[in-house]
Amino acid sequence: MSYQCPVCEKIWPDTMELARHVFGVGDQTHKDWVNSKGVNFIELLLIQTMEPGNKGYKTLAEILERDAKKVEES
Amino acid sequence: MKKKLVHLTVNEEYHELYISPRKLLVEILRDELDLTGTKRGCSTGSCGACTILLDGAAVKSCSVLAVQVDGAKVTTVEGLADGAGLTPLQLSFLDHGAFQCGFCTSGMLMSATAFLNEDPVSEDIKKGIQGNICRCTGYNSILRAIRAVAEGKYEDEGR
Amino acid sequence: MIHNFNYHRATTVQESLSLLEKFKEDYKIICGGQSLLILMRQGLVAPENLVDIKSVKEMSYIDYDPKKGLKIGAATTHREIEKSPEIKKNYPVLVEMEENLASVQTRNWGTIGGNLAHGDPASDPAPILIAMTATVKLANTNGERSLLLEDFFVDIFETALEEGELLIEIQVPVPLKKSAVAYEKFNIIKNHQGIVSVAASITMAEDGIGCKDARIVLGAAAATPLRAGEAEQMLIGKKIDTKLLASVGKKASEECDPVSDIHATETYRRALVKALTIKIMKKAWEQAKTSGRVGGKHT
Amino acid sequence: MKKHTYTVINTPIHNIDGIAKITGRAEYTFDITLPRMLHGKILRSPYPHGEIIHIDTSKAERLKGVKAVLTGKDTLGRKQGIWRRFKELCDEEILARDKVRYIGEPVATVAAVDEDTAEEALDLIEVEYNALPGAFEPLEAIKEGAPQLHEHAERNINVTRHIEWGDVDEGFKKADYVREDWFRCSSQAHVCMETHCAVADYTPEGKLTVYTSTQSHYYIKVLLAEILGLRENDVRVISRYTGGGFGSKFELDSAQFCCSILSMKLCQPVKIVLTREEEFSATKRRTPMFYYIRSGVKKDGAFLAKEARVFTEGGAYTAMGATALYLTGFFQSFPYVWPSYRYDGYRVYTNTAPTSAMRGFGAPQATFCAETQIDLIADELGIDPIDIRRKNAMYPGYEVPGQATIQSCGLGQCLDKIDDWIKSRGKLPPNRGIGVSAYGFMSGGIFNWFDTPYAFSSAVLQINIDGKVDLFVGSQDMGQGSNTTMAMICAEELGVKVEDIRLHMGDTETCPVDLGAWGSRETLMQGNAVKMAASKAKQQILEFATAKLAPNIVYDLDIKDGWIHLIARPERGLSFYDVVKEAIRGKDGQPIIARGHYTPHRKGMISPAYSFGVQAIEADVNPDTGKITLKNCVTAHDCGQVINPLGVEGQLEGAIAMAAGYGFTEDLPMDEGKILNPNLVDYMLLRATEMPETKVMEVETYEPEGPFGAKEAGEGLTNPTAGALGNAVFHATGISIKNLPITPEKVLNALKEKKNK
């Protein structure tokens, strides 16, 4: 099972990788998608940086687990 | 501002120049006499890129008004060697890779020439080029080049 | 950009003084110009008239008399002082100071008089000359006057020179028996301007134990080169030991009035004054005990 | 390792530009004068943040001798940036139209008959600003409610970067010892001796020629064309001698842009030379970084997990800062095997002069923090600093997960050599310490944010009737000696003498494209292109030689020192020069021409090859003043096959001076965005008197990806010094300063603090 980026449709093996991709690209469309999910993109980044434990990425990964399109392995 | 007549012997060539008193010696050398080997790297007399010999002594040509040196004898990097020849110091700079970008090199050569003319003691070489900034080499290759000449390794070379 | 000015070259002291008299309102004197030209280039100084005294030959001399002491013409270059055998022999600490002053190029063209008249609290020669009880001779068209160098510095970049007045000579007395002068400048890059500097002279009593006289002069630690008077008083008449020197250093650091700038905070400058004072006093003391010579190095 | 024998490679060769430089004949942009040339100056913003309400240039225009006064309104208003693939990162107009974002940002430019008149005219330009509150520190600028610099950048976040491999959380769980440290890495100025300068000459045919001091004439050509609305090849950039670059001269700068628009307006040549003060306050600089590092290790010192987070002070525009953000993250893990690693970097816009590339490109900051922390960890665990590094050192064949493959790696031998040297020093006097730092760097970047469709490096060569070889390269020699390196590579491959090579560079009209001298790319990338071109030319000559010599078909021919011969029977051969004559005749009179190129394919994310090294610094710390005095600096260095020993030595010593300056004297303190020491009186560069004794020990490896086994040898050397210096202070006094530069005042304060504890 893989996950597809809801913005640019790139495929990733798991939601953590996908979350890293979303933060890594971080352009306006990716930001907007995150913000539309009721969390703030930049707050998630700050949490990720200021506090230990990979919290920002985990939060986003959970959202992606719920909302990103799942793709069967070909 | 009244222009002044200034007499200068630069690299053994005599010039009579009619110049504005606010012109620095470096500006006259570069702009009037086309001796662009002399560089400028700052405006605070700090970097030494404009060093020339003024009556044999190393002086920063950016820190001297040209009118002040009326009648003086100036040597620039272009006057170090005749024609296609090189001085022992220049040869030593080549051998030791004592330059990189080359922008400080003219000033460095002039400081080192003055230093070598003043009967150097090799431990003082650092002091001799203390007034010259080189951002590329870290100075040690320059010190080696000057030391080699000071120690007489180039006695039979050069012009 | 250097603003326009009228250029006047003087070749004698008299000629210089008449020019100063004439341009009362607006002139600057240039000799080596190693500090002045920087200010002019930045547009901070834009005189109407520039009086050039570099060619005044009669102001360029070094004159030593074992009885009368040292006289240096104000237009003497730093390099001439550094290279003078007379000075090296009788005032070696002056040579040491010169060797650490700016660059060879600057010393080749810059002059002692120009340095002092600039009035920079970070001047290299000022503290050491004050420690040596130097005086300066000033002249105008009406005559001459002498002033202790320590009274010459009025405020930051401000001296006792009046309109029309020219600094023409620096005089240093003959070193006293059983006295010594030491000097150190603290900086990160050698030969840069001092973050602070300390010059100290000590004269021992006849018995060679007590301290008869002491001078502690601080550079870059106040608006002018500063004598640490209270610290000096702690020494006079006392037998010097390392404990006393420690409290003298502390006192000097309290007495000074340094600024905070990009190179050091006020606190750090005070700490440096303390450390350097202790070190330099100790050096001067040890030399004074054993020699009659002024200076940093034994010959 | 197979031992290679070379004729030219690894012999100390005089710099081929040397005689021009030591006789004062080398003509830098600074020296160029063209007929009818005017002089330009740039008016710069006195405010760190503000709106431009109105600019009145009429008084300046009326000044006698003034030929033109231009503002942002006279430009196409295009935003430019070197990260061309990403629109949002092209954020700088160069001549601001509506808003200024840092002190020193250009707002108007003047051309006049001479410099003084142009400068006078600047005073007559009236600019009305609406000053805005500024954001100066990244950690403040990112906060909610901080003044925002760019509309598109919410919370002033400019670029973010994430790197991760392995299971970091698991790694920390397994660790016996976990350590967290916070570091602040300061800024640094490049201080090229030749300040940024350019002469633009636009002619009514629509062609613009720009002479300029640059590290990449190709970039400048493309960027200028784009912002000026010209076709790429209507712009010609010429740059024969460059008076230093160090990372400051491969982006479009204000001198290049302003003299170009002035020249386009006037159809007259215009020259602009930045003053030293402008150079300090209004060109780009090293990126200040705030680092948080957490490392987990085993009792025996084995590294398990590392987590790094950084906020970088971006300044007002992106510049090359995005690359620095990536590289600092990657090199934070270098040159060690970290089983798991996680990095998050944020570049934050601030109202300060933009920060960008500078020699080391983010790695010196990373290396300082990492190497300081490693010594603290070793100290805590009672492990020797060399041993802990040896235990975790990268090795040949190691793969940085998802990032890079290390082919050649002499780090182990470097550690051994430094270990021996330290032991040879015996017991040190009081207040003296030796600190070490390991490091590594890339040999050219793989990334293509510039969006070039060309090969990363190209070379063309032509062999003439007299055997002289015209070698055309796109690489730029800014002092690092790449011209000599390229001539040597060409001579070696072709089997001729260095004197036979006539090198042509620094002109976009005659030279093929190369991305320029940055990221330590020239020796490997341009070197490979040159080698390929030489090899192809050699092939053509050998075809003729084979025909002529008619050897047994199983024999191979080679050329060495101008002698074409049978490898098996070197005495049987022909003169290269004779064969060239005949070959040209045989080619119907065409000279022998060959082309070479190089672009890395499938070489990982960062670079095709990595250099390694270890540096030790011996220093004294004065306990009364805190002053540090450098005594010795010893470096064991693996740059693959050395091409020119004279060049490598120079690069190494020069790097030490620059990097030691970064470690303890150089800084750009600011007050509300204003740089407080924009001159060479207050900005403290090391001088000859501060240089320690330097010793270099080469560890030779063979890098399969590099020409003749060579790799990077210049930029990476700036990485270790600040860390080694800090560690020397640590071992001399027991205090560890985590805030660069390590000034005497900081040392003294820390000593006091330690005493009071």
Side-chain angles (χ1 to χ4, degrees), chain A residues 7-72:
Chain A
V7 180
C8 61
E9 301 188 345
K10 252 183 136 170
I11 310 285
W12 297 90
D14 59 54
T15 50
M16 269 307 266
E17 285 286 306
L18 178 51
R20 280 176 203 124
H21 155 78
V22 171
F23 276 117
V25 176
D27 64 3
Q28 202 54 49
T29 47
H30 285 82
K31 271 185 209 166
D32 289 345
W33 186 87
V34 174
N35 291 342
S36 75
K37 297 291 153 187
V39 288
N40 183 297
F41 183 89
I42 290 165
E43 287 302 335
L44 285 183
L45 272 183
L46 275 173
I47 291 168
Q48 175 67 16
T49 307
M50 307 291 213
E51 295 171 29
N54 236 5
K55 284 185 197 161
Y57 290 102
K58 280 182 183 158
T59 308
L60 185 58
E62 280 163 25
I63 293 169
L64 290 164
E65 181 69 49
R66 199 181 63 215
D67 292 346
K69 196 173 149 196
K70 293 166 190 71
V71 194
E72 289 305 324

Side-chain angles (χ1 to χ4, degrees), chain C residues 29-151:
Chain C
I29 303 167
I30 188 166
C31 195
Q34 299 295 289
S35 303
L36 180 65
L37 282 175
I38 297 172
L39 299 176
M40 286 175 68
R41 238 179 332 216
Q42 291 166 339
L44 296 172
V45 174
E48 186 81 23
N49 295 290
L50 196 67
V51 178
D52 178 8
I53 58 165
K54 186 75 182 170
S55 320
V56 180
K57 294 271 177 320
E58 58 178 305
M59 266 171 69
S60 171
Y61 54 85
I62 292 167
D63 188 1
Y64 178 71
D65 182 309
K67 295 208 176 76
K68 290 184 193 149
L70 178 68
K71 287 179 182 169
I72 306 175
T76 307
T77 65
H78 292 290
R79 195 78 167 144
E80 285 161 345
I81 295 171
E82 180 185 347
K83 293 285 177 196
S84 156
E86 299 267 67
I87 294 179
K88 192 163 185 66
K89 183 154 175 262
N90 299 294
Y91 304 87
V93 68
L94 269 181
V95 173
E96 193 188 312
M97 176 276 295
E98 287 290 3
E99 282 174 348
N100 289 295
L101 183 151
S103 60
V104 177
Q105 294 99 313
T106 301
R107 299 202 296 280
N108 273 332
W109 195 247
T111 62
I112 183 82
N115 180 298
L116 296 174
H118 187 49
D120 189 338
S123 158
D124 286 282
I128 196 157
L129 288 169
I130 293 173
M132 290 171 165
T133 333
T135 51
V136 283
K137 197 156 94 182
L138 316 179
N140 61 16
T141 44
N142 298 324
E144 293 177 354
R145 62 172 174 142
S146 276
L147 202 61
L148 274 171
L149 182 60
E150 59 186 282
D151 298 328

Side-chain angles (χ1 to χ4, degrees), chain D residues 222-340:
Chain D
V222 174
L223 293 171
L224 264 180
E226 198 166 77
I227 194 171
L228 296 170
L230 299 172
R231 289 173 66 179
E232 266 180 35
N233 289 294
D234 283 338
V235 181
R236 176 183 185 185
V237 175
I238 301 176
S239 181
R240 181 62 184 91
Y241 294 98
T242 292
F246 314 112
S248 73
K249 290 182 181 164
F250 63 99
E251 296 163 57
L252 189 58
D253 65 50
S254 58
Q256 292 156 348
F257 178 65
C258 290
C259 70
S260 295
I261 56 171
L262 287 166
S263 184
M264 285 173 78
K265 164 100 182 170
L266 298 164
C267 280
Q268 231 175 308
V270 180
K271 180 176 189 175
I272 294 184
V273 178
L274 297 198
T275 64
R276 180 56 65 188
E277 185 162 353
E278 283 178 293
E279 186 83 1
F280 268 111
S281 50
T283 66
K284 299 185 169 69
R285 58 200 174 94
R286 194 185 288 289
T287 309
M289 295 188 181
F290 295 81
Y291 249 113
Y292 161 82
I293 310 172
R294 180 164 169 253
S295 297
V297 302
K298 287 294 235 189
K299 267 204 301 281
D300 64 358
F303 293 171
L304 288 174
K306 184 175 199 174
E307 191 168 41
R309 278 151 202 181
V310 71
F311 284 91
T312 74
E313 180 187 327
Y317 299 102
T318 304
M320 282 298 288
T323 317
L325 188 74
Y326 187 21
L327 292 179
T328 197
F330 177 69
F331 285 107
Q332 178 59 249
S333 75
F334 236 65
Y336 303 106
V337 174
W338 284 96
S340 65

Side-chain angles (χ1 to χ4, degrees), chain D residues 310-455:
Chain D
V310 71
F311 284 91
T312 74
E313 180 187 327
Y317 299 102
T318 304
M320 282 298 288
T323 317
L325 188 74
Y326 187 21
L327 292 179
T328 197
F330 177 69
F331 285 107
Q332 178 59 249
S333 75
F334 236 65
Y336 303 106
V337 174
W338 284 96
S340 65
Y341 176 65
R342 181 192 296 137
Y343 166 80
D344 285 281
Y346 307 94
R347 188 175 192 274
V348 186
Y349 283 127
T350 49
N351 290 110
T352 56
T355 65
S356 188
M358 181 170 176
R359 199 173 187 178
F361 223 154
Q365 295 95 318
T367 308
F368 167 71
C369 304
E371 293 293 307
T372 303
Q373 193 185 52
I374 287 171
D375 264 30
L376 292 167
I377 291 170
D379 186 64
E380 198 70 34
L381 298 176
I383 304 173
D384 180 79
I386 295 282
D387 291 341
I388 196 168
R389 287 173 171 84
R390 197 182 272 129
K391 189 171 189 77
N392 298 290
M394 281 180 176
Y395 48 82
Y398 171 65
E399 206 180 315
V400 188
Q403 302 281 324
T405 303
I406 308 299
Q407 301 205 61
S408 63
C409 172
L411 183 57
Q413 297 101 294
C414 292
L415 282 162
D416 292 343
K417 281 183 190 262
I418 291 295
D419 199 17
D420 291 345
W421 180 80
I422 293 173
K423 288 190 174 121
S424 76
R425 298 299 296 158
K427 194 172 151 41
L428 301 177
N431 301 314
R432 181 173 295 185
I434 295 177
V436 296
S437 170
Y439 64 97
F441 202 61
M442 61 182 183
S443 307
I446 285 173
F447 16 85
N448 185 17
W449 32 259
F450 189 75
D451 210 12
T452 183
Y454 291 106

Side-chain angles (χ1 to χ4, degrees), chain D residues 200-220:
Chain D
D201 186 10
Y202 183 79
T203 54
E205 294 92 324
K207 289 209 65 170
L208 175 69
T209 303
V210 178
Y211 301 81
T212 188
S213 185
T214 182
Q215 295 174 233
S216 173
H217 42 70
Y218 167 68
Y219 281 165
I220 302 308

